[in-house]
Coordinates of all heavy atoms in Angstrom, one line a residue:
M1 N 14.6 -32.9 21.6 CA 13.7 -31.8 21.6 C 14.1 -30.9 20.5 O 15.1 -30.5 20.4 CB 13.7 -31.1 22.9 CG 12.6 -30.1 23.0 SD 12.5 -29.6 24.7 CE 12.2 -27.8 24.5
A2 N 13.1 -30.5 19.7 CA 13.4 -29.6 18.6 C 13.4 -28.2 19.0 O 12.5 -27.8 20.0 CB 12.4 -29.9 17.4
L3 N 14.1 -27.4 18.4 CA 14.1 -25.8 18.8 C 13.1 -25.0 18.1 O 12.8 -24.0 18.4 CB 15.6 -25.3 18.5 CG 16.7 -25.8 19.5 CD1 18.0 -25.2 19.1 CD2 16.4 -25.5 21.0
F4 N 12.5 -25.7 17.0 CA 11.6 -25.0 16.2 C 10.4 -24.6 17.0 O 9.8 -25.5 17.8 CB 11.2 -25.9 15.0 CG 12.3 -26.1 14.1 CD1 12.7 -27.5 14.2 CD2 12.8 -25.2 13.3 CE1 13.9 -27.7 13.2 CE2 13.7 -25.5 12.4 CZ 14.3 -26.7 12.4
G5 N 10.1 -23.4 17.0 CA 8.8 -23.0 17.7 C 9.1 -22.4 19.1 O 8.4 -21.7 19.9
L6 N 10.4 -22.5 19.7 CA 10.7 -22.1 20.9 C 10.9 -20.6 20.9 O 10.6 -19.9 21.8 CB 12.1 -22.7 21.4 CG 12.1 -24.1 21.9 CD1 13.4 -24.5 22.3 CD2 11.1 -24.1 23.2
F7 N 11.5 -20.0 19.8 CA 11.7 -18.6 19.7 C 10.9 -17.9 18.7 O 11.1 -17.8 17.6 CB 13.2 -18.3 19.3 CG 14.2 -19.0 20.2 CD1 14.8 -20.1 19.9 CD2 14.4 -18.4 21.4 CE1 15.7 -20.7 20.8 CE2 15.3 -19.0 22.4 CZ 16.0 -20.3 22.0
K8 N 9.6 -17.6 19.2 CA 8.6 -17.0 18.3 C 8.7 -15.5 18.4 O 9.0 -14.9 19.4 CB 7.3 -17.5 18.8 CG 7.0 -18.9 18.5 CD 5.6 -19.3 18.9 CE 5.4 -20.8 18.6 NZ 4.1 -21.2 19.0
A9 N 8.5 -15.0 17.2 CA 8.6 -13.5 17.1 C 7.2 -12.9 17.9 O 6.4 -13.5 17.9 CB 8.6 -13.1 15.8
K10 N 7.7 -11.8 18.5 CA 6.5 -11.1 19.3 C 5.5 -10.6 18.2 O 5.9 -9.9 17.3 CB 7.2 -10.0 20.0 CG 6.2 -9.1 20.8 CD 6.9 -8.1 21.6 CE 6.1 -6.8 21.5 NZ 6.9 -5.7 21.9
K11 N 4.3 -10.9 18.4 CA 3.2 -10.3 17.5 C 3.0 -8.8 17.8 O 3.0 -8.3 18.9 CB 1.8 -10.9 17.8 CG 1.8 -12.3 17.2 CD 0.3 -12.8 17.3 CE 0.1 -13.4 15.9 NZ -1.3 -13.7 15.8
P12 N 2.9 -8.1 16.6 CA 2.8 -6.6 16.7 C 1.5 -6.3 17.4 O 0.4 -7.0 17.2 CB 2.9 -6.2 15.3 CG 2.6 -7.3 14.5 CD 3.0 -8.5 15.3
D13 N 1.4 -5.2 18.2 CA 0.2 -4.8 18.9 C -0.7 -4.1 17.9 O -0.5 -3.1 17.1 CB 0.6 -3.7 19.9 CG -0.5 -3.2 20.7 OD1 -1.7 -3.5 20.4 OD2 -0.3 -2.5 21.7
P14 N -2.0 -4.7 17.7 CA -2.9 -4.1 16.7 C -3.2 -2.6 16.9 O -3.5 -1.9 16.1 CB -4.1 -5.0 16.9 CG -3.7 -6.3 17.5 CD -2.5 -5.9 18.3
A15 N -3.1 -2.2 18.3 CA -3.4 -0.8 18.4 C -2.2 0.2 17.9 O -2.6 1.2 17.4 CB -3.5 -0.5 20.0
V16 N -1.0 -0.4 18.0 CA 0.2 0.4 17.6 C 0.1 0.5 16.0 O 0.3 1.5 15.3 CB 1.4 -0.2 17.9 CG1 2.6 0.4 17.2 CG2 1.6 -0.2 19.4
I17 N -0.3 -0.6 15.4 CA -0.4 -0.6 13.9 C -1.5 0.4 13.5 O -1.4 1.2 12.5 CB -0.8 -2.1 13.3 CG1 0.5 -2.9 13.6 CG2 -1.2 -2.1 11.9 CD1 0.2 -4.4 13.3
S18 N -2.7 0.3 14.1 CA -3.8 1.2 13.8 C -3.5 2.6 14.0 O -3.8 3.4 13.2 CB -5.1 0.9 14.8 OG -6.0 1.7 14.5
A19 N -2.7 3.0 15.0 CA -2.2 4.3 15.3 C -1.3 4.8 14.1 O -1.5 6.0 13.7 CB -1.6 4.5 16.6
I20 N -0.4 4.0 13.7 CA 0.5 4.3 12.6 C -0.3 4.6 11.4 O -0.2 5.6 10.7 CB 1.5 3.2 12.4 CG1 2.5 3.2 13.6 CG2 2.3 3.5 11.1 CD1 3.5 2.0 13.5
K21 N -1.3 3.6 11.1 CA -2.1 3.9 9.9 C -2.8 5.2 10.0 O -3.0 5.9 8.9 CB -3.0 2.7 9.7 CG -2.3 1.4 9.2 CD -3.4 0.3 9.1 CE -2.8 -1.0 8.6 NZ -3.8 -2.1 8.4
T22 N -3.4 5.4 11.1 CA -4.3 6.8 11.3 C -3.3 7.9 11.0 O -3.7 8.9 10.3 CB -4.7 6.7 12.7 OG1 -5.7 5.7 12.8 CG2 -5.5 8.1 13.0
H23 N -2.0 7.9 11.5 CA -1.2 9.1 11.4 C -0.7 9.2 9.9 O -0.8 10.3 9.5 CB 0.1 8.8 12.3 CG -0.1 8.8 13.6 ND1 -1.2 9.5 14.3 CD2 0.5 8.1 14.7 CE1 -1.1 9.3 15.7 NE2 -0.1 8.4 15.9
V24 N -0.6 8.1 9.1 CA -0.3 8.2 7.8 C -1.5 8.8 7.0 O -1.3 9.6 6.2 CB 0.1 6.7 7.2 CG1 0.2 6.8 5.7 CG2 1.4 6.2 7.9
F25 N -2.8 8.3 7.3 CA -3.9 8.8 6.6 C -4.0 10.3 6.8 O -4.4 11.0 6.0 CB -5.1 8.1 6.9 CG -5.5 6.8 6.2 CD1 -5.3 5.6 6.9 CD2 -5.6 6.8 4.8 CE1 -5.7 4.4 6.3 CE2 -5.9 5.7 4.2 CZ -6.0 4.4 4.9
E26 N -3.8 10.7 8.1 CA -3.9 12.1 8.4 C -2.9 13.0 7.7 O -3.1 14.0 7.2 CB -3.7 12.3 9.9 CG -4.9 11.9 10.7 CD -4.8 11.9 12.1 OE1 -3.6 12.1 12.7 OE2 -5.8 11.5 12.9
A27 N -1.6 12.4 7.7 CA -0.5 13.2 7.1 C -0.7 13.3 5.6 O -0.4 14.2 5.0 CB 0.7 12.5 7.3
L28 N -1.4 12.3 5.0 CA -1.7 12.4 3.5 C -3.1 13.0 3.2 O -3.5 13.0 2.0 CB -1.6 11.0 2.9 CG -0.2 10.3 3.1 CD1 -0.3 8.8 2.5 CD2 0.9 11.1 2.3
G29 N -3.8 13.4 4.2 CA -5.1 14.1 3.9 C -6.3 13.2 3.7 O -7.2 13.5 3.0
H30 N -6.2 12.0 4.2 CA -7.3 11.1 4.2 C -7.8 10.7 2.7 O -9.0 10.9 2.4 CB -8.5 11.5 5.0 CG -8.3 11.7 6.3 ND1 -8.2 10.7 7.3 CD2 -8.0 12.9 7.1 CE1 -7.9 11.2 8.5 NE2 -7.9 12.5 8.4
P31 N -6.8 10.4 1.8 CA -7.1 10.1 0.5 C -8.1 8.9 0.4 O -8.0 7.8 1.1 CB -5.8 9.6 -0.2 CG -4.9 9.5 0.9 CD -5.3 10.1 2.1
E32 N -9.0 9.0 -0.5 CA -10.1 7.9 -0.8 C -9.4 6.7 -1.4 O -8.6 6.8 -2.3 CB -11.1 8.5 -1.7 CG -12.5 7.8 -1.7 CD -13.1 7.7 -0.4 OE1 -13.2 8.7 0.3 OE2 -13.9 6.8 -0.3
G33 N -9.8 5.5 -1.1 CA -9.3 4.3 -1.7 C -7.8 3.9 -1.4 O -7.3 3.1 -2.1
M34 N -7.2 4.6 -0.5 CA -5.8 4.2 -0.3 C -5.8 3.1 0.9 O -6.5 3.0 1.8 CB -5.0 5.6 0.4 CG -3.6 5.2 0.6 SD -2.7 6.8 1.1 CE -2.7 7.4 -0.5
V35 N -4.9 2.2 0.7 CA -4.7 1.1 1.7 C -3.2 1.3 2.2 O -2.3 1.5 1.4 CB -4.8 -0.3 0.9 CG1 -4.5 -1.3 1.8 CG2 -6.2 -0.5 0.4
I36 N -3.2 1.2 3.5 CA -1.8 1.2 4.2 C -1.5 -0.1 4.9 O -2.4 -0.7 5.5 CB -1.9 2.2 5.3 CG1 -2.4 3.6 4.7 CG2 -0.5 2.4 6.1 CD1 -1.4 4.4 3.9
A37 N -0.3 -0.6 4.8 CA 0.1 -1.8 5.3 C 1.4 -1.4 6.2 O 2.3 -0.7 5.7 CB 0.5 -3.0 4.4
V38 N 1.4 -2.0 7.5 CA 2.7 -1.6 8.3 C 3.1 -2.9 8.8 O 2.4 -3.9 9.4 CB 2.0 -0.9 9.5 CG1 3.2 -0.5 10.5 CG2 1.4 0.4 9.1
N39 N 4.4 -3.0 8.7 CA 5.1 -4.3 9.2 C 6.4 -3.9 9.9 O 7.0 -3.0 9.6 CB 5.5 -5.1 7.9 CG 4.2 -5.8 7.3 OD1 3.5 -6.6 7.8 ND2 3.9 -5.2 6.1
E40 N 6.9 -4.8 10.8 CA 8.1 -4.6 11.4 C 9.1 -5.7 10.8 O 8.7 -6.9 10.8 CB 8.0 -4.6 12.8 CG 9.2 -4.4 13.7 CD 9.0 -4.3 15.2 OE1 8.4 -3.3 15.6 OE2 9.3 -5.3 15.8
I41 N 10.3 -5.3 10.3 CA 11.2 -6.1 9.8 C 12.4 -6.2 10.7 O 12.9 -5.2 11.0 CB 11.6 -5.7 8.4 CG1 10.3 -5.4 7.5 CG2 12.6 -6.7 7.7 CD1 9.6 -6.6 7.2
D42 N 12.8 -7.3 11.0 CA 14.1 -7.6 11.8 C 15.1 -8.2 10.8 O 15.0 -9.3 10.5 CB 13.9 -8.4 12.9 CG 15.0 -8.5 13.9 OD1 16.0 -7.7 13.6 OD2 15.0 -9.2 14.9
C43 N 16.1 -7.4 10.3 CA 17.1 -7.7 9.3 C 18.3 -8.0 9.9 O 18.9 -7.3 10.7 CB 17.2 -6.6 8.2 SG 18.3 -7.0 6.9
N44 N 18.9 -9.2 9.7 CA 20.1 -9.7 10.3 C 21.3 -9.4 9.4 O 22.5 -9.6 9.8 CB 20.0 -11.2 10.6 CG 19.1 -11.5 11.6 OD1 19.0 -10.7 12.6 ND2 18.4 -12.6 11.6
D45 N 21.0 -8.9 8.2 CA 22.1 -8.5 7.4 C 22.9 -7.4 7.9 O 22.3 -6.4 8.4 CB 21.5 -8.2 5.9 CG 22.6 -7.9 4.8 OD1 23.7 -7.2 5.2 OD2 22.3 -8.0 3.7
P46 N 24.2 -7.3 7.9 CA 25.1 -6.3 8.4 C 24.8 -4.9 7.8 O 25.0 -3.9 8.4 CB 26.6 -6.7 8.3 CG 26.4 -8.1 8.0 CD 25.0 -8.4 7.6
A47 N 24.4 -5.1 6.5 CA 24.0 -3.6 5.8 C 22.7 -3.1 6.3 O 22.4 -1.9 6.1 CB 24.0 -3.8 4.4
C48 N 21.8 -3.7 7.0 CA 20.6 -3.4 7.4 C 20.6 -2.6 8.7 O 21.6 -2.8 9.5 CB 19.5 -4.6 7.6 SG 19.1 -5.3 6.1
P49 N 19.7 -1.8 9.0 CA 19.8 -1.0 10.4 C 19.4 -1.9 11.6 O 19.3 -1.3 12.6 CB 18.9 0.2 10.1 CG 17.9 -0.4 9.1 CD 18.6 -1.3 8.2
G50 N 19.0 -3.1 11.3 CA 18.4 -4.0 12.4 C 16.9 -4.0 12.2 O 16.4 -4.4 11.2
V51 N 16.3 -3.5 13.2 CA 14.7 -3.6 13.2 C 14.2 -2.2 12.6 O 14.7 -1.1 12.9 CB 14.1 -3.6 14.6 CG1 12.6 -3.6 14.6 CG2 14.5 -5.0 15.3
E52 N 13.3 -2.4 11.7 CA 12.7 -1.1 11.0 C 11.3 -1.3 10.9 O 10.8 -2.5 10.7 CB 13.5 -0.9 9.7 CG 13.4 -1.8 8.7 CD 14.2 -1.5 7.4 OE1 14.9 -0.5 7.4 OE2 14.1 -2.3 6.5
T53 N 10.5 -0.3 10.7 CA 9.0 -0.3 10.5 C 8.9 0.0 9.1 O 9.5 1.2 8.6 CB 8.4 0.6 11.4 OG1 8.5 0.1 12.8 CG2 6.8 0.7 11.1
V54 N 8.2 -0.8 8.3 CA 8.0 -0.5 6.8 C 6.5 -0.2 6.6 O 5.7 -1.0 7.1 CB 8.4 -1.7 6.0 CG1 8.1 -1.5 4.6 CG2 9.9 -2.1 6.3
I55 N 6.3 0.9 6.0 CA 4.9 1.3 5.8 C 4.7 1.3 4.2 O 5.4 2.0 3.5 CB 4.6 2.8 6.3 CG1 4.9 2.8 7.7 CG2 3.2 3.2 5.8 CD1 5.0 4.4 8.3
L56 N 3.7 0.5 3.8 CA 3.5 0.5 2.2 C 2.2 1.2 2.1 O 1.2 1.1 2.8 CB 3.3 -0.9 1.9 CG 4.4 -1.9 1.9 CD1 4.0 -3.3 1.6 CD2 5.5 -1.4 1.1
I57 N 2.3 2.1 1.1 CA 1.1 3.1 0.8 C 0.6 2.6 -0.6 O 1.4 2.7 -1.7 CB 1.5 4.6 0.8 CG1 2.1 4.8 2.2 CG2 0.3 5.4 0.3 CD1 2.7 6.1 2.3
M58 N -0.6 2.0 -0.8 CA -1.1 1.6 -2.0 C -2.3 2.2 -2.5 O -3.2 2.5 -1.6 CB -1.4 0.0 -1.9 CG -0.1 -0.8 -1.6 SD -0.4 -2.4 -0.8 CE -0.7 -2.0 0.9
A59 N -2.4 2.7 -3.7 CA -3.6 3.5 -4.1 C -3.9 3.0 -5.5 O -2.9 2.8 -6.4 CB -3.3 5.0 -4.1
T60 N -5.0 2.9 -5.9 CA -5.4 2.5 -7.3 C -4.8 3.4 -8.3 O -4.9 4.6 -8.3 CB -7.0 2.5 -7.4 OG1 -7.5 1.7 -6.5 CG2 -7.4 2.0 -8.8
G61 N -4.2 2.7 -9.4 CA -3.6 3.5 -10.5 C -2.2 4.3 -10.1 O -1.6 4.9 -10.9
K62 N -1.7 3.9 -8.8 CA -0.4 4.5 -8.5 C 0.6 3.4 -8.1 O 0.2 2.3 -7.7 CB -0.5 5.5 -7.4 CG -1.3 6.7 -7.7 CD -1.3 7.7 -6.5 CE -2.0 9.0 -6.9 NZ -2.0 9.9 -5.8
K63 N 1.7 3.7 -8.2 CA 2.9 2.7 -7.7 C 2.8 2.6 -6.3 O 2.7 3.7 -5.7 CB 4.2 3.3 -8.3 CG 5.3 2.2 -8.6 CD 6.5 2.8 -9.3 CE 7.4 1.8 -9.5 NZ 8.7 2.3 -10.0
T64 N 3.1 1.5 -5.8 CA 3.1 1.3 -4.3 C 4.3 2.0 -3.8 O 5.4 2.0 -4.3 CB 3.2 -0.2 -3.9 OG1 2.0 -0.8 -4.4 CG2 3.3 -0.4 -2.4
E65 N 4.1 2.8 -2.8 CA 5.2 3.5 -2.1 C 5.6 2.9 -0.8 O 4.7 2.6 -0.1 CB 4.6 5.0 -1.8 CG 5.8 5.9 -1.2 CD 5.3 7.3 -1.0 OE1 4.2 7.7 -1.4 OE2 5.9 8.1 -0.1
A66 N 6.9 2.7 -0.5 CA 7.3 2.2 0.8 C 8.2 3.2 1.5 O 9.0 3.9 0.9 CB 8.3 0.9 0.5
C67 N 7.8 3.4 2.8 CA 8.6 4.3 3.6 C 9.2 3.4 4.8 O 8.4 2.6 5.3 CB 7.7 5.3 4.3 SG 6.9 6.3 3.0
K68 N 10.3 3.6 5.1 CA 11.0 2.9 6.2 C 11.5 3.8 7.3 O 11.9 4.9 7.1 CB 12.3 2.1 5.6 CG 12.0 1.1 4.5 CD 13.2 0.4 4.0 CE 12.9 -0.4 2.8 NZ 14.0 -1.1 2.5
I69 N 11.2 3.4 8.4 CA 11.6 4.0 9.7 C 12.5 3.1 10.6 O 11.9 2.0 10.9 CB 10.3 4.5 10.4 CG1 9.5 5.4 9.6 CG2 10.8 5.2 11.8 CD1 8.1 5.8 10.2
D70 N 13.7 3.6 10.9 CA 14.6 2.7 11.6 C 14.2 2.6 13.0 O 15.2 3.0 13.9 CB 16.0 3.2 11.3 CG 16.5 3.1 9.9 OD1 15.8 2.3 9.2 OD2 17.4 3.8 9.5
K71 N 13.1 2.1 13.3 CA 12.6 2.1 14.8 C 11.6 0.8 14.8 O 11.0 0.5 13.8 CB 11.9 3.2 15.2 CG 12.7 4.4 15.4 CD 11.9 5.6 16.0 CE 12.8 6.9 16.2 NZ 11.9 7.9 16.8
R72 N 11.5 0.4 16.0 CA 10.3 -0.6 16.2 C 9.0 0.1 16.1 O 9.0 1.4 16.4 CB 10.5 -1.2 17.6 CG 11.8 -2.2 17.7 CD 11.5 -3.0 19.0 NE 12.7 -4.1 19.1 CZ 12.6 -5.1 18.3 NH1 11.6 -5.4 17.6 NH2 13.7 -5.9 18.4
M73 N 8.0 -0.6 15.7 CA 6.7 0.1 15.6 C 6.3 0.8 16.9 O 5.8 2.0 16.6 CB 5.6 -1.1 15.4 CG 5.4 -1.6 14.1 SD 3.9 -2.5 14.0 CE 4.5 -3.7 12.7
E74 N 6.4 0.3 18.0 CA 5.9 1.0 19.2 C 6.8 2.2 19.5 O 6.3 3.1 20.3 CB 5.9 0.0 20.4 CG 7.2 -0.5 20.9 CD 7.5 -1.9 20.3 OE1 6.8 -2.4 19.4 OE2 8.5 -2.5 20.7
D75 N 7.9 2.4 18.9 CA 8.6 3.6 19.0 C 8.4 4.7 17.9 O 9.0 5.8 18.0 CB 10.2 3.3 19.1 CG 10.5 2.3 20.2 OD1 9.9 2.5 21.4 OD2 11.4 1.5 20.2
V76 N 7.7 4.4 17.0 CA 7.4 5.3 15.8 C 6.5 6.5 16.3 O 5.5 6.2 17.0 CB 6.8 4.5 14.7 CG1 6.4 5.5 13.6 CG2 7.8 3.6 14.1
T77 N 6.9 7.7 16.0 CA 6.2 8.8 16.4 C 5.5 9.5 15.1 O 5.9 9.2 14.0 CB 7.0 9.9 17.0 OG1 8.0 10.4 16.1 CG2 7.8 9.4 18.3
R78 N 4.6 10.5 15.4 CA 4.0 11.3 14.3 C 5.1 12.0 13.5 O 5.0 12.0 12.2 CB 3.0 12.3 14.8 CG 1.6 11.7 15.3 CD 0.8 12.8 15.7 NE -0.3 12.5 16.3 CZ -1.6 12.5 15.8 NH1 -1.7 13.0 14.5 NH2 -2.6 12.0 16.4
A79 N 6.0 12.4 14.2 CA 7.2 13.2 13.5 C 7.9 12.1 12.6 O 8.4 12.6 11.5 CB 8.1 13.9 14.5
D80 N 8.2 11.0 13.1 CA 8.9 9.9 12.2 C 8.2 9.8 11.0 O 8.7 9.7 9.9 CB 9.0 8.7 13.0 CG 9.9 8.8 14.3 OD1 10.9 9.5 14.3 OD2 9.6 8.1 15.2
I81 N 6.7 9.6 11.1 CA 6.0 9.4 9.9 C 6.0 10.6 9.0 O 6.2 10.3 7.8 CB 4.6 9.0 10.4 CG1 4.5 7.6 11.1 CG2 3.6 9.0 9.2 CD1 3.3 7.3 11.8
A82 N 5.9 11.8 9.4 CA 6.0 13.0 8.7 C 7.3 13.1 7.9 O 7.4 13.2 6.7 CB 5.6 14.2 9.4
T83 N 8.3 12.6 8.7 CA 9.7 12.8 8.0 C 9.7 11.6 6.9 O 10.2 12.0 5.7 CB 10.8 12.6 9.0 OG1 10.7 13.6 10.0 CG2 12.2 12.5 8.4
A84 N 9.3 10.5 7.3 CA 9.4 9.4 6.2 C 8.6 9.8 4.9 O 8.9 9.3 3.9 CB 8.9 8.1 6.8
L85 N 7.4 10.4 5.2 CA 6.5 10.7 4.1 C 7.0 12.1 3.3 O 6.4 12.4 2.4 CB 5.1 10.9 4.5 CG 4.4 9.6 5.1 CD1 3.1 10.0 5.7 CD2 4.4 8.6 4.0
G86 N 8.0 12.6 4.0 CA 8.5 13.9 3.2 C 7.5 15.1 3.5 O 7.4 16.1 2.7
K87 N 6.8 15.1 4.6 CA 5.8 16.1 5.0 C 6.4 17.1 6.0 O 7.1 16.8 6.8 CB 4.5 15.5 5.5 CG 3.9 14.6 4.6 CD 3.2 15.3 3.4 CE 2.6 14.4 2.4 NZ 2.1 15.0 1.3

């Protein structure tokens, strides 16, 4: 029996992703044409903090900005987002 597929990563909750995106848009003043991507990364490298939430902020004509929060998505708060964005 193969072990592949036995240990599947938990799918992120779409409601949690939506809430994080909403908080980012609110913190940035609802900019027109901005796209937000939210991912949870589980890094096994000893130099990494372990699980972190990565928020990518993309806007036309601007360099993509990445914000990292050293928490699982479901544990991210508005305060965490404001801190990560420097607000």
Side-chain angles (χ1 to χ4, degrees):
M1 180 172 145
L3 292 177
F4 297 105
L6 278 180
F7 303 102
K8 292 184 180 177
K10 181 180 135 190
K11 280 192 133 188
D13 182 351
V16 172
I17 293 171
S18 179
I20 291 171
K21 288 180 178 184
T22 297
H23 298 327
V24 171
F25 277 115
E26 288 172 355
L28 296 176
H30 300 281
E32 196 66 33
M34 183 172 284
V35 177
I36 307 292
V38 180
N39 293 289
E40 189 172 280
I41 308 294
D42 190 2
C43 182
N44 294 322
D45 184 328
C48 290
V51 177
E52 62 185 3
T53 298
V54 178
I55 302 167
L56 297 177
I57 303 166
M58 299 162 277
T60 305
K62 293 186 179 180
K63 209 172 178 184
T64 298
E65 182 182 345
C67 300
K68 297 179 182 181
I69 301 171
D70 296 340
K71 293 182 176 182
R72 293 196 171 280
M73 275 189 212
E74 61 264 11
D75 297 328
V76 171
T77 65
R78 283 180 188 254
D80 294 328
I81 293 168
T83 299
L85 296 173
K87 302 285 179 188

